[in-house]
Amino acid sequence: MMLAHHLSRPLCLALALAMPLPAAALAADLSCNGLLETGQTLICSGFEPNWALELSCDGGMSANFIDAFSGDSIQTTPGSVSFASENPWQLETSHPVRGTIAYTPGGCTDESDAVRDFTFTPTAAPGLSEPFYPFCCRIK
């Protein structure tokens, strides 16, 4: 009986080391609101009409509103972003774009049939009115 007890300790240690780290531990190096690493950009592109929200992490988080629906050319307007919550990330930009980004591993398929890990559900965007539909985000 005592031998079985001593044999179970190495097995428990091996199992503990083999288990994946929790998501919170993996996110520890994400310096911009627990969403992006320094140098990364998250692009959430809407379709019909064509517009996008681009969040960049470079010593802090910034936001660009990309408008491809209201003129002859694509307009990029820089701005700021604030977060009311993290994971899901409820945000508002200075443009103002409002909505929520959720981590949905493999759960969002965009118009090109690419599978993405983040879904943006907008609630407001400049020059657009409801209804708003969720769309995918990608990290570059």
Side-chain angles (χ1 to χ4, degrees), residues 82-97:
S82 62
F83 291 87
S85 66
E86 293 181 7
N87 201 10
W89 294 267
Q90 185 178 1
L91 62 89
E92 182 170 356
T93 72
S94 56
H95 304 101
V97 173

Side-chain angles (χ1 to χ4, degrees), residues 34 42 45 51-52 58 60-61 72 93 122 124 129:
L42 182 75
S45 301
W51 67 282
D58 189 18
M61 190 81 85
D72 293 337
T93 72
S129 57

Side-chain angles (χ1 to χ4, degrees), residues 103-130:
Y103 179 56
T104 54
C108 193
T109 303
D110 68 16
E111 289 73 28
S112 70
D113 291 329
V115 176
R116 306 293 182 191
D117 291 334
F118 292 90
T119 303
F120 179 54
T121 304
T123 56
L128 300 174
S129 57
E130 294 185 29

Side-chain angles (χ1 to χ4, degrees), residues 31-81:
S31 59
C32 285
N33 295 85
L35 181 60
L36 297 173
E37 294 178 18
T38 299
Q40 288 184 324
T41 299
L42 182 75
I43 302 168
C44 304
S45 301
F47 186 70
E48 298 297 329
N50 294 328
W51 67 282
L53 177 63
E54 182 180 76
L55 301 176
S56 297
C57 178
D58 189 18
M61 190 81 85
S62 63
N64 288 324
F65 177 72
I66 301 169
D67 175 351
F69 64 86
S70 64
D72 293 337
S73 62
I74 297 172
Q75 302 293 321
T76 300
T77 306
S80 60
V81 61

Side-chain angles (χ1 to χ4, degrees), residues 1-7:
M1 178 114 149
M2 192 62 117
L3 181 59
H5 176 70
H6 288 293
L7 290 176

